[in-house]
């Protein structure tokens, strides 16, 4: 069965996932609007994936958190420069200096069915090379003016189907899209 690759990510209204230096302080601040116990579908989403693929920058950011948020899920870190895997993640996280084609084949050979793709440049390369199947985009009501963009240039248009959309009364808007095949 072919691999499904999904992104689940939050952006500012002007389309940034982080400030130019990678900070997500704005997201932490806006998350204070979210009622206790509400996770905007994240918990349900993460239950459906069996591995993560993330870029080197996102991996570095997650390592700076107080706790590791992905339990025992295998994590494949994309990097050409290489990353140091901390001792507590050896055997769970690995650096993959692979092309996406090789990576997807490796993931399929390992039996993965649904991967969570994270990081702006990583999501962009999955989209560009035709490997992203779904994206759940949570738009947070703040303008940053500058930052790291979620989307980038493309060799051609990528038509999508809107699967679901939801407005939260705390102001977040979440839309799930499926990339149309063919
Ligand atoms: N708003 C949110 O929900 C959200 C979610 C996730 C992350 N973030 C933020 O986003 C920032 C990171 O995003 P980012 O756009 O900088 O990118 P990223 O995708 O996390 O990391 C980019 C790096 O990953 C490697 N990479 C990506 N695609 C590759 C490919 N196809 N082949 C080989 N290597 C590849 C490259 O590392 P090398 O240079 O080593 O080759 C590249 O420099 C962090 O600050 C994080 O906090 C926000």
């Amino acid at each position: 069965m072919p691999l499904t690759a999904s992104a689940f990510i939050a952006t500012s209204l002007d389309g940034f996932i982080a400030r130019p230096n990678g900070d997500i302080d704005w997201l932490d601040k806006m998350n204070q609007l979210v009622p206790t116990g509400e996770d905007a579908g994240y918990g349900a989403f993460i239950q459906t994936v069996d591995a993560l693929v993330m870029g080197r920058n996102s991996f570095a950011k997650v390592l700076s958190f107080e706790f590791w948020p992905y339990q025992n899920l295998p994590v494949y870190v994309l990097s050409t420069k290489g990353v140091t895997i901390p001792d507590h993640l050896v055997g769970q996280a690995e650096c993959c200096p692979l092309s996406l084609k090789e990576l997807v084949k490796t993931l399929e050979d390992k039996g993965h069915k649904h991967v969570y793709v994270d990081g702006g440049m990583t999501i962009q390369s999955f989209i560009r090379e035709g490997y992203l199947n779904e994206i759940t985009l949570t738009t947070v009501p703040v303008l940053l003016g500058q930052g790291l963009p979620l989307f980038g240039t493309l060799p051609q248009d990528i038509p999508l189907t809107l699967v679901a959309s939801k407005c939260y009364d705390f102001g977040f808007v979440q839309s799930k899209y499926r990339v149309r095949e063919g």
Side-chain angles (χ1 to χ4, degrees), residues 44-180:
F45 169 75
I46 198 87
Q47 293 290 328
T48 69
V49 303
D50 51 38
L52 280 97
V53 175
M54 63 173 66
R56 175 172 57 81
N57 297 343
S58 291
F59 184 62
K61 177 61 77 180
V62 177
L63 288 181
S64 75
F65 296 168
E66 282 171 14
F67 68 99
W68 177 252
Y70 303 121
Q71 288 123 12
N72 296 323
L73 283 173
V75 178
Y76 300 88
V77 184
L78 290 181
S79 176
T80 55
K81 293 184 182 152
V83 290
T84 303
I85 306 294
D87 288 349
H88 67 284
L89 293 176
V90 170
Q92 181 180 353
E94 63 181 270
C95 180
C96 299
L98 300 172
S99 70
L100 289 197
K101 188 176 179 185
E102 292 169 312
L103 175 68
V104 168
K105 166 108 177 48
T106 301
L107 295 172
E108 287 177 343
D109 289 349
K110 288 187 178 209
H112 292 303
K113 304 278 184 258
H114 186 196
V115 291
Y116 175 6
V117 179
D118 208 15
M121 289 168 60
T122 300
I123 292 170
Q124 286 174 29
S125 53
F126 266 74
I127 293 174
R128 220 171 20 243
E129 296 188 38
Y131 291 116
L132 197 79
N133 303 103
E134 294 179 352
I135 181 162
T136 300
L137 180 60
T138 304
T139 306
V140 176
V142 61
L143 296 168
L144 299 179
Q146 58 181 339
L148 305 180
L150 174 56
F151 298 116
T153 58
L154 291 169
Q156 77 281 317
D157 296 349
I158 309 274
L160 308 167
T161 300
L162 179 66
V163 177
S165 195
K166 183 170 181 182
C167 294
Y168 290 92
D169 55 14
F170 46 90
F172 291 20
V173 178
Q174 187 177 75
S175 297
K176 177 177 176 179
Y177 298 93
R178 193 162 294 135
V179 176
R180 283 200 221 161

